């Protein structure tokens, strides 16, 4: 419904502003609203990035087949009702790697990286780049 104005608080095409510049026909955040961070030490080391979108590069520590590793993303812009969404951009070398948000709290969310390869299968040793975006939400 291009050009439709919805009630206050509802997203509209071309109506999102993140740095004072309207995004013409796009739905999302404008250039400069995102950021990037790299996980150090191991797969469970937390990261801090207070942006509404960005990229997280994971550590390359080995993650065995059928194993999972959880880590916290500290992000002061996240509220408990928000919805962080993830996608693997690149780097998975096992072919069965999955990422998902398993918890949201005020100021953080937790990501689980899971190696879905069958037992005795390929270990995940790649530095996975995970794209994320935080959808701001309210419950009332």
């Amino acid at each position: 419904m291009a050009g439709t104005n919805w009630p206050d608080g509802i997203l509209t095409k071309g109506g999102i502003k993140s740095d004072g510049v309207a995004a013409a026909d796009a739905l999302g955040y404008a250039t400069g609203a995102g950021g990037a961070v790299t996980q150090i030490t191991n797969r469970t080391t937390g990261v801090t990035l207070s942006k509404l979108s960005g990229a997280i590069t994971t550590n390359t520590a080995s993650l065995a087949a059928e194993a999972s590793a959880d880590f916290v993303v500290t992000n002061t812009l996240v509220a408990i009702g928000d919805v962080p969404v993830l996608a693997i951009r690149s780097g998975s070398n096992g072919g069965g790697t999955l990422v998902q948000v398993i918890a949201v709290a005020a100021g953080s969310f937790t990501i689980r990286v899971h190696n879905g390869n069958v037992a005795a299968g390929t270990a995940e040793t790649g530095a996975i780049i995970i794209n994320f975006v935080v959808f701001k939400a309210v419950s009332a």
Side-chain angles (χ1 to χ4, degrees), residues 17-82:
K17 296 180 182 180
S18 60
D19 60 0
V21 179
D25 285 326
L27 182 62
Y29 297 105
T31 301
V37 66
T38 299
Q39 187 181 44
I40 58 171
T41 311
N42 60 51
R43 298 252 184 195
T44 60
T45 301
V47 297
T48 300
L49 183 60
S50 291
K51 297 287 189 173
L52 291 175
S53 65
I56 301 165
T57 302
T58 67
N59 186 272
T60 59
S62 183
L63 184 62
E66 297 186 340
S68 296
D70 299 348
F71 67 95
V72 174
V73 178
T74 301
N75 185 327
T76 59
L77 302 178
V78 173
I80 197 163
D82 292 347

Side-chain angles (χ1 to χ4, degrees), residues 1 4 6 17 24 33 41 53 58 63 67 79 92 94 97 100 103 120 126-127 130:
M1 300 182 79
T4 302
W6 299 94
K17 296 180 182 180
T41 311
S53 65
T58 67
L63 184 62
S92 173
T97 303
Q100 67 184 56
I130 303 168

